[in-house]
Amino acid sequence: MRLTEHELTAALTGAAKGVLGAQDKDVRKGRRTVDDAWEDLGRYQRFVLLDGLGDQLLPVLVGLPDIEVPVGERPSFTKEQITAAVEERMGEERGLKRKAIIQARVALVNLALESIPPRQDPDAFIVPDHL
């Protein structure tokens, strides 16, 4: 799938915030938002989280089939397409562990795809007058 750098960054950041929300006890209990928890992370902590997820997500996102995405919509894929892309990039795990990893990565890729902003028309780009 051809995604722009901005779309890949948004996908990775959205997945990282989802993982952070699942790990942070205060977010799970509703005491603070995921965005507040994200802002409280230091630069190095963000890097570590993004780096770990990037190794899992970016090859799968790039390996998804090329589709035409209409302007104003997000890219969407079937569960079978996402699962096939994840399985292509799996290691040597076998059995139940492999199934669990595939299921977790498919959920992570779905979270990343939901975080991608709607596609914009590059020809309709309007520069504000104050620039």
Side-chain angles (χ1 to χ4, degrees):
M1 172 72 198
R2 285 186 228 126
L3 295 168
T4 65
E5 183 179 347
H6 173 68
E7 289 172 333
L8 287 172
T9 303
L12 192 57
T13 304
K17 286 182 179 182
V19 169
L20 178 65
Q23 291 177 344
D24 190 290
K25 185 176 182 180
D26 289 335
V27 173
R28 286 194 316 262
K29 293 194 177 244
R31 294 181 192 146
R32 67 179 180 166
T33 66
V34 175
D35 292 326
D36 291 338
W38 182 256
E39 292 300 320
D40 289 344
L41 285 180
R43 291 173 124 180
Y44 182 71
Q45 291 171 316
R46 284 187 200 170
F47 167 76
V48 170
L49 183 59
L50 290 169
D51 185 47
L53 290 174
D55 292 341
Q56 297 176 35
L57 280 177
L58 294 178
V60 175
L61 290 174
V62 172
L64 288 170
D66 285 338
I67 59 169
E68 192 64 36
V69 180
V71 175
E73 293 185 19
R74 293 180 173 91
S76 61
F77 299 93
T78 65
K79 184 177 180 180
E80 291 79 22
Q81 289 173 322
I82 295 171
T83 304
V86 168
E87 287 176 345
E88 287 175 8
R89 281 137 189 94
M90 283 296 296
E92 297 298 319
E93 292 86 9
R94 297 279 181 231
L96 192 58
K97 182 177 180 181
R98 180 180 176 87
K99 289 180 182 179
I101 291 173
I102 288 173
Q103 191 174 19
R105 287 196 184 159
V106 166
L108 198 58
V109 170
N110 280 327
L111 181 62
L113 289 172
E114 290 171 6
S115 302
I116 295 177
R119 183 80 38 106
Q120 295 180 353
D121 185 11
D123 296 331
F125 184 70
I126 299 172
V127 178
D129 291 335
H130 67 277
L131 295 178

